[in-house]
């Protein structure tokens, strides 16, 4: 059974006090998570340690960084390394988010380097892929996403690719309130899984969690998550509102 994941991506939001308050409210709720479900909070880098401490007693909750560099240490001013994340107990990281690709010029090659270094240090990558609107408008989304997977993931051996979580985030649905329809989501998730199967085999394809991201909220989470190839969500805006994210966690498949 694939792990079902509700992942919050807070992006560059909240002060430390607001972040603490939000976590307190979220952790104060009772979820009855099954062994197959997990919750991940991708918090801004300055709050990683505080967030780690807060979730320490929650066995199915994890803290993620929103980015990491592809080198372990050295003269890379402003960057954060996997070694640093590991030293504070952070075991997940979002890699290749479309905002990093677009605003910070991250290439498929750099992203592949980040996936590699995470695998070396046993940090779980949440690898993001997804097309922009002009690509969808000409119905090229499958080949676009397939290319992203080829360039940054599909060189991995089978025993490594199964450690990666994939997040399909169509750029036109991020922060726009325009969610992809559950049919569009299922279609792409099934396509991604079929590509993994073609490359690696059915066992690998069936063991990788594929999350959907793009305007997920309490009102649509249940329907999206109930699609057969959707294993939860990577949530931006709605993860900053406690009652929204609580409902999203509760909408996970068991
Ligand atoms: P929104 O949920 O705000 O659309 O953001 C999605 C996202 O980019 C999560 O990584």
């Amino acid at each position: 059974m694939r792990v079902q994941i509700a992942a919050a991506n807070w992006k560059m939001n909240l002060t430390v006090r607001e972040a603490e308050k939000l976590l307190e409210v979220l952790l104060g709720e009772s979820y009855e998570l099954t062994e197959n479900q997990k919750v991940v909070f991708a918090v801004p880098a300055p709050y990683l340690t505080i967030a780690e401490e807060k979730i320490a007693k929650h066995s199915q909750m994890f803290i993620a960084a929103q980015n990491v560099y592809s080198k372990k240490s050295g003269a890379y001013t402003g960057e954060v390394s996997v070694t640093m994340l590991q030293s504070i107990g952070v075991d997940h990281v979002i890699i290749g988010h479309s905002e990093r690709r677009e605003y910070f010029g991250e290439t498929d090659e750099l992203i592949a380097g980040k996936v590699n270094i995470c695998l070396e240090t046993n940090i779980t990558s949440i690898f993001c892929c997804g097309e922009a609107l002009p690509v969808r408008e000409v119905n090229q989304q499958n080949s676009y996403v397939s290319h992203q997977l080829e360039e940054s993931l599909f060189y991995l051996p089978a025993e490594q690719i199964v450690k990666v979580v994939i997040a399909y985030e169509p750029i036109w649905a991020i922060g726009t309130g325009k969610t992809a329809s559950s049919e569009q989501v299922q279609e792409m998730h099934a396509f991604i899984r079929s590509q993994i199967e073609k490359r690696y085999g059915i066992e690998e394809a069936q063991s990788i969690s594929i999350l959907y991201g793009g305007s997920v909220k309490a009102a649509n989470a249940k329907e999206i998550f109930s699609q057969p190839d959707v294993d939860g969500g990577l949530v931006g805006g709605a993860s900053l509102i406690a009652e929204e994210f609580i409902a999203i966690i509760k909408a996970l498949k068991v």
Side-chain angles (χ1 to χ4, degrees), residues 9 11 94 97 99 169 173-176 213-216 234-238:
N9 178 6
K11 307 192 180 182
I94 297 176
H97 192 281
E99 288 150 15
E169 299 205 309
I174 296 178
T176 57
S215 299
V216 174
L234 179 56
V235 186

Side-chain angles (χ1 to χ4, degrees), residues 104-123:
F104 304 97
E106 292 202 4
T107 60
D108 289 330
E109 193 188 356
L110 175 68
I111 291 165
K114 293 182 176 195
V115 170
N116 285 342
I117 205 150
C118 285
L119 282 162
E120 269 177 42
T121 37
N122 271 330
I123 290 182

Side-chain angles (χ1 to χ4, degrees), residues 17 54 61 68 73 84 107-108 122 125 135 141 179 243:
R17 293 290 157 253
K54 286 213 183 291
M61 297 200 172
V68 75
S73 65
M84 294 172 187
T107 60
D108 289 330
N122 271 330
S125 308
V135 176
Q141 63 274 12
T179 325
E243 47 293 8

